[in-house]
Structure formats: structure tokens, C-alpha cells
Amino acid sequence: MGVVSDPIVSLLLPVTVRLQQYTAMPRFVMSGVVDPTGCYGWIVSRTRRIDSHVIRALEDKSAVSLVILGAGFDTRAYRLEIRAEVKVFELDSAATQLAKRKLLASANVNTSHVNFIPINCNKENFLDKLEAKGFDLSKPSVILMEGLLPYMEEKAVRETLTAVRNRCSAGTTLIVTMENSVSPDERDSVFGAAVLYNTITIGGEPITFGLPLGQEKRYVQDLGFKVLSHSTARDLEVDYFLTRGDLQTRVFGAGNVMALRVP
């Protein structure tokens, strides 16, 4: 088995792509050996690391909700073993949710336990929208923001994280991915940055929020969070892709996964 096993996401892929997962070639082509961005390694390794954080946080019986903000096509609500009493909320744009729900329905995936809430993350307060759907701010929860913050405006990022710190119950776990800000002069020294940032900018989805290298912990601590775990790209490479001293796959060098706690 690879770094991540996700039987649900394969049901959401086109048939031609679905068939390719059973051959070694696509994985080799997408690995760091060939992929100059490290995106394959970044997405696979962060998925594995976040899974472990979510599972560990939900083992605490006081956690009553799982919130996935900017859920996209995240499948954790359908493939992880989540206690029946845990309320699950997914928030994303209405268009993305509609497309996802159609695909899940066509694959006969049960979504009855999930509360879908449409939102514009740059303009709307997600906690207000959650409360309106029965989210209990007085009890600990697990909140996930994967692949979201880098595409938000800095003001919206700070307001979103501050809202979690100030309004959510003590004991709430916040799991986020963050990227480092990389100047044009630094891009050649950060694996994947030169190619990736040029590609996503051309594609119309540029990175709008990033933190200077080494300032990740200070940023969230200044907002009042306790850092439970911080994994850099190098940490993820060593933990998941280093085999007998040989690095099998590279990870996008500006990526970070953090698990935080509301004290």
C-alpha cells in the first residue's frame, strides 16, 4: 500500500484516470523524480499527516464536531472512522459543493451524516454560518483548513484564525496547511517553487498568503494558539518517502502542516 489509501476519491475520478491508478507508471511520472514541483509528494504526504491529526483529535471524546472549511473534494467524512455522535460540517462554494455531491451520489456514497454549508471564505464568517446550522461553540471541535489559507487574502486569514481562537471552545484542534512566501529571488532555492508559482499564476489562481520561512510558529502563537505539531516539507519527505537513505519522492519545499490547539 502507498502512503495514502483513499477508496472514495477514486470513485470521483474519470474512468480513464481511475484505471491508471492500478499501474506504477502514473505514480512514477507524478513522483519527485519527474515532477519538478513536488506537488504529488506534497498532496500525498500532507493528506497522510492530516489524517493522523484528525484521527488523533477525534479520539478525544470531548470533541463533538468535525469542520472542514474549504472542503473541495476532501473525502475524510466518508472514509475515516468517525464516531456516530460527531457532527460533520463541510463548507465551500455552492458550485463546488454541487459538483461534489453529484459525484458522490453517482458513486452511491452515503452523505446523510454531513452538513453542507455554502460559503465565500473571503467575505463570510464561517463560524456564524456554522452556528446557524447547529454547531456548538461551547464544546471542543476539530477544524480542518487544508489547501485554503494560501488562496485567501491576508486580512481574511487573520480574521478567520482569530475567530477560531476567540470564539471556539478551549480544547478545539485546528489543523491547517500553510505555505511560505517565496520571493522571485528565492524560488530557485525552494524545491518546486520556480515552476509551481509560475504555473498557478498563469492558471489564474495565484498564492495570495504566505509566511516567511521560519516564522510559521510565531505567527500562530501570536494569535494565541498552542502548537501541537509542525511538519515542514523536509519532515514529510523523511517520514514518508525516505527508503534506506534514498529519497523516493520530493515534496514542494514551501509547504507546512500544523496542528494547533485553542488553550
Side-chain angles (χ1 to χ4, degrees):
M1 187 178 72
V3 175
V4 175
S5 176
D6 189 342
I8 301 297
V9 76
S10 63
L11 300 176
L12 309 182
L13 298 172
V15 174
T16 53
V17 178
R18 198 182 307 170
L19 292 173
Q20 291 177 8
Q21 69 180 315
Y22 298 107
T23 69
M25 183 55 70
R27 291 192 293 274
F28 172 77
V29 170
M30 290 299 291
S31 73
V33 176
V34 178
D35 174 21
T37 68
C39 275
Y40 171 81
W42 169 227
I43 292 172
V44 169
S45 61
R46 83 185 191 194
T47 298
R48 172 70 176 272
R49 183 57 53 91
I50 291 170
D51 282 358
S52 66
H53 286 322
V54 171
I55 291 169
R56 186 176 301 113
L58 288 176
E59 286 176 350
D60 183 345
K61 298 299 190 296
S62 66
V64 300
S65 300
L66 171 63
V67 177
I68 306 175
L69 181 60
F73 286 78
D74 189 293
T75 62
R76 292 182 178 89
Y78 318 101
R79 63 180 173 81
L80 296 184
E81 292 187 10
I82 300 173
R83 303 191 318 274
E85 64 270 23
V86 172
K87 289 186 176 181
V88 181
F89 301 86
E90 289 194 7
L91 299 92
D92 211 322
S93 69
T96 297
Q97 289 191 334
L98 178 61
K100 179 179 184 177
R101 296 180 74 173
K102 284 182 176 179
L103 287 171
L104 290 170
S106 66
N108 295 315
V109 176
N110 179 25
T111 64
S112 61
H113 61 297
V114 179
N115 298 280
F116 293 93
I117 305 175
I119 190 172
N120 181 324
C121 292
N122 273 317
K123 296 181 179 180
E124 296 180 284
N125 187 298
F126 84 101
L127 291 177
D128 289 344
K129 303 209 72 168
L130 281 169
E131 274 197 297
K133 294 294 184 178
F135 179 76
D136 190 347
L137 283 169
S138 70
K139 296 180 181 179
S141 58
V142 180
I143 301 174
L144 170 59
M145 303 177 189
E146 179 184 9
L148 172 68
L149 300 184
Y151 300 98
M152 293 174 62
E153 300 162 5
E154 195 281 334
K155 180 175 181 290
V157 171
R158 181 172 289 273
E159 288 177 349
T160 297
L161 297 183
T162 299
V164 172
R165 170 62 182 87
N166 291 343
R167 296 179 60 186
C168 290
S169 167
T172 290
T173 300
L174 174 62
I175 304 164
V176 300
T177 58
M178 288 193 178
E179 294 185 10
N180 297 117
S181 54
V182 183
S183 70
D185 292 338
E186 297 172 319
R187 290 181 181 179
D188 288 338
S189 63
V190 177
F191 184 80
V195 176
L196 180 62
Y197 286 150
N198 184 55
T199 301
I200 60 179
T201 299
I202 292 174
E205 197 174 22
I207 299 296
T208 53
F209 173 75
L211 294 173
L213 186 66
Q215 295 299 309
E216 307 87 3
K217 286 186 178 180
R218 179 176 178 179
Y219 181 82
V220 295
Q221 287 171 336
D222 285 348
L223 291 176
F225 291 98
K226 176 183 178 181
V227 178
L228 302 178
S229 173
H230 174 209
S231 301
T232 64
R234 182 56 181 169
D235 294 328
L236 298 173
E237 286 179 342
V238 170
D239 288 349
Y240 300 125
F241 300 121
L242 191 64
T243 304
R244 293 187 294 276
D246 184 21
L247 188 59
Q248 302 295 318
T249 299
R250 295 301 308 274
V251 172
F252 172 54
N256 299 266
V257 179
M258 304 185 78
L260 315 173
R261 178 67 53 81
V262 175

